[in-house]
Each structure stands twice: as C-alpha cells, then as structure tokens.
Amino acid sequence: MTAGKPIRIGIIGSGNIGNVHMEVLKKVPEAEITAVTDAYLPLAEARAKEHNIERVYESTDKLLSDPSIDAVIVAVSNEWHAPIAVQALEAGKHVMLEKPMALNLASAKQIVEAERKAGKVLMIPHQLRWDALSLALKQQVEKGALGHIYHAKAGWMRRKGIPGWGTWFTQMGKSGGGPLIDLGVHMLDLSLYLMGNPKPVSVYGATYAEFGPRKKGIGSWGAPNWDGQYDVEDLATALIKFDNGATLSLDVSWAALIETDNQPYVQLLGSEGGASIRGTKGKLFAEMFDREADIDLSVPEFDEGPRVRMAKHFLSCIESGLQPLTSVMTGYTNNLILDAIYRSSQTGNEVKLDWDIE
C-alpha cells in the first residue's frame, strides 16, 4: 500500500453479492479492484470484463499470493468464510468478510484468533448500520433522547421468500442455517448497535421448518435445485437478555402465512422516548406536556447510500489502523447468539452465553 494511491482490492467470489461490491467500489476512488476469482472461472472472467478488472485468478490461493493486493472482499458461501478469511489474514491481507462472519461459533473463534495474530483489519459488511435512518437514530440514542433502552423488537418477516431452494442456501452444513443466520444476523447486529452494545448473557429461542421441506414458500432469489435438500428453518424467534437488564425480541422468516410488507424493522423502547425503523421509514416517539410528540426521521436528499459509506469506512480503517465499526468481535458476538438460539431450539431450554473470548 503506497501513500496517496488507491487501496488495491481483490474480490473472492463473483456471484450476486460479489457483484454488488464491484458496483459499489466503482463509486469509491480510494479503492481499485485489481483482481477477481471464483470457483466457476467463467463467471469471474465475465465480471472482470464487465467491470474492467485487470486480472482474473483461477484460484483463491493464486489471488492471495499476489503481493500487490492490499485487501480482499470475501463473498462466497458461508461454509468457506472461515477458511478463506483465515488464509487471507495469514497472507497479510486486510479482509472484508461477508455476513454471517462464520458458519458456526467454532469457525468464528478461528477467525478471531487469526485476526488478532495477523494484526490486519477484518470488517463484516452489515450495511444496515450504515443506512441514513440508522445513523440518524444512533445519533439520537447517543444524545440520550430515548433515555435507558430497556427493550427492543426486531425482525424481517418474509411471507414467500425462500432463496435458492436445494442449493447451499438451504443446507445446514453449507449455510449454517436459514433465515436466522441469513436475515436475523442483520437485525441482531443493528439492534445491538442501536441499543449501545449491551453484553448479551442468555438466549431462549425456537426454530420451525413448516414450508421449506414441502417445497412451499419459494421466493424469486436464486435458481432452485429441486434435486437438492432443505434442512434449515424457515422461521425463527428468540428472546435475548443483556447484562444491563434489557431484552431483545427477534423474529425472522423466509416463509410465513402472515400479513407483512417484507421489510426489516427495529423498534426501540426507552425510558424517555421510543423509535422505529421499518424499511425506508423512521420515527421517534416522545411525550411532551402530556401529549404525544412524534418526529419523522429523514434521509438526506443526495444520500450516497449505506454501502458506499461502508466501503469508505473499511478503507479508512486500513489507512488508520483503527478497528472498524463492525469488527471481528461484533461478528463473534453475532455468531455466539445465533449458535445459542439454535441450541435453545434443540433443547427447549434457555442457553447461558459462554464468553470464552472477549
């Protein structure tokens, strides 16, 4: 990395989310995509041509051995997150690692250990934190407008949205789970951030698979493989308790017979005020002179967008050496909670969280 020059980035994984990162980085002059790879090489070659990327590598190994690459974006299926992230850190690269950070808690620990040993930046791209409404609400929380946040409700309920039935998305061994690890991780991360990052101490949860196994509730995202399998949940619910006495109620689904606008939402309940974000709308709730006083949260007219802000933050952390907002430990925290929800569903009992890494 040379002062004044763009940070050189390699993209590992050229599918849908990898392509999103390529599109975003075109808008960020501080970055230059210099290489790309994919398990299906023709896709990487097509992306390189589409985005004018100089080099296509036939393997992750070869891309990571390129000394000119400063950082990589890992945009592959969940089962490969930990192996590739660890390999990239050991190769001396900074890493933006797609969510969820890891397939399971054991893999998450491996990433934490590798990040601490390498001394490189590892960031999880939770774009909802960078949404203009989220930032506006966070500012109000930090000003004390809500007082003590004692409870939050968050979720993302899709009525008919199972992605890529039969592909890696719907196989526990490859994805780590269904909507809980796919959508729930976003809502969990955003809620913790807005609540001021209280320490979770216990979880009670349940998961259900009422539609996926019957090939119902299929969404439009991803091509299905009807010869594949579905062994993940299609709905999850949980209650998370924190060390400060606060609680978080989480509900997510890929398929559910319920009235829903399919939008992610967070509601914060505070001692002095409340707040709500649902999709592209946000509101603050207060009471003044014994009357309701509600205020709409607004997005700037020429907002550059959450993913551009997120990419710029990643680059600034590389330049400064500071920890990113969504650091390796935020990823570990999410995996710790997700793992506990799945275990609670299996046992029917509350699960106390074991913080063996802090």
Side-chain angles (χ1 to χ4, degrees):
M1 195 160 41
T2 305
K5 291 190 176 182
I7 293 172
R8 294 157 297 191
I9 295 177
I11 308 285
I12 300 173
S14 303
N16 290 332
I17 194 62
N19 190 50
V20 168
H21 286 290
M22 295 176 206
E23 291 284 358
V24 168
L25 288 174
K26 285 181 179 179
K27 304 172 185 177
V28 183
E30 298 89 348
E32 178 186 359
I33 305 174
T34 61
V36 63
T37 189
D38 193 88
Y40 181 59
L41 196 59
L43 179 58
E45 291 170 342
R47 297 294 192 208
K49 185 176 181 180
E50 178 184 354
H51 298 288
N52 195 28
I53 299 170
E54 182 182 351
R55 293 187 295 281
V56 176
Y57 284 109
E58 63 184 34
S59 70
T60 296
D61 291 350
K62 292 195 173 181
L63 186 147
L64 291 176
S65 67
D66 183 342
S68 72
I69 294 175
D70 303 310
V72 296
I73 295 176
V74 180
V76 296
S77 59
N78 297 352
E79 63 178 320
W80 295 107
H81 282 193
I84 292 177
V86 170
Q87 184 183 0
L89 290 166
E90 290 176 346
K93 312 299 185 187
H94 302 284
V95 179
M96 180 181 280
L97 175 60
E98 262 301 331
K99 63 83 197 171
M101 186 173 85
L103 186 73
N104 51 44
L105 187 59
S107 296
K109 290 179 183 178
Q110 293 174 359
I111 297 172
V112 174
E113 291 164 359
E115 184 264 356
R116 291 179 175 178
K117 186 176 180 181
K120 295 294 180 178
V121 171
L122 185 139
M123 176 173 161
I124 313 300
H126 280 292
Q127 76 275 8
L128 293 184
R129 284 204 194 196
W130 298 97
D131 186 84
L133 290 177
S134 300
L135 295 174
L137 178 50
K138 179 65 173 177
Q139 188 176 51
Q140 293 302 315
V141 169
E142 291 181 340
K143 286 181 178 179
L146 274 64
H148 166 59
I149 298 173
Y150 57 89
H151 182 61
K153 293 172 65 69
W156 198 335
M157 298 293 288
R158 291 179 178 170
R159 179 165 178 172
K160 188 177 173 66
I162 293 175
W165 194 103
T167 67
W168 70 267
F169 270 100
T170 66
Q171 298 180 42
M172 180 64 78
K174 296 179 180 294
S175 65
L180 179 59
I181 202 167
D182 178 37
L183 306 178
V185 70
H186 275 307
M187 307 321 300
L188 179 61
D189 182 81
L190 179 60
S191 299
L192 292 176
Y193 173 61
L194 293 175
M195 294 175 77
N197 296 307
K199 184 177 180 179
V201 293
S202 68
V203 164
Y204 184 85
T207 62
Y208 304 90
E210 297 294 330
F211 298 97
R214 295 187 288 149
K215 298 183 180 178
K216 294 182 178 293
I218 310 301
S220 59
W221 196 95
N225 172 17
W226 300 119
D227 294 323
Q229 68 183 66
Y230 189 104
D231 63 353
V232 297
E233 80 282 358
D234 44 44
L235 182 142
T237 183
L239 181 68
I240 299 123
K241 297 180 180 178
F242 300 95
D243 62 349
N244 64 351
T247 49
L248 167 63
S249 172
L250 178 68
D251 293 289
V252 290
S253 72
W254 277 343
L257 295 178
I258 187 174
E259 183 179 14
T260 177
D261 57 7
N262 299 305
Q263 295 294 314
Y265 64 87
V266 176
Q267 297 173 309
L268 302 179
L269 285 68
S271 58
E272 306 301 322
S276 172
I277 293 176
R278 189 175 194 104
T280 58
K281 296 181 179 179
K283 185 172 285 190
L284 296 174
F285 305 98
E287 191 172 285
M288 299 179 68
F289 309 109
D290 294 323
R291 299 178 61 185
E292 294 179 358
D294 301 344
I295 303 170
D296 289 329
L297 294 170
S298 59
V299 177
E301 184 178 358
F302 300 105
D303 181 48
E304 64 182 352
R307 288 190 177 274
V308 171
R309 275 190 290 274
M310 186 172 67
K312 288 181 177 179
H313 179 68
F314 178 56
L315 300 174
S316 70
C317 288
I318 291 174
E319 293 283 12
S320 66
L322 296 176
Q323 279 287 324
L325 192 63
T326 45
S327 66
V328 70
M329 280 307 295
T330 67
Y332 177 79
T333 300
N334 291 333
N335 270 115
L336 181 65
I337 295 172
L338 294 171
D339 181 79
I341 294 172
Y342 283 122
R343 283 193 289 128
S344 178
S345 179
Q346 291 168 356
T347 64
N349 300 320
E350 183 181 35
V351 173
K352 305 288 186 182
L353 299 185
D354 179 14
W355 284 91
D356 57 350
I357 295 180
E358 300 222 28

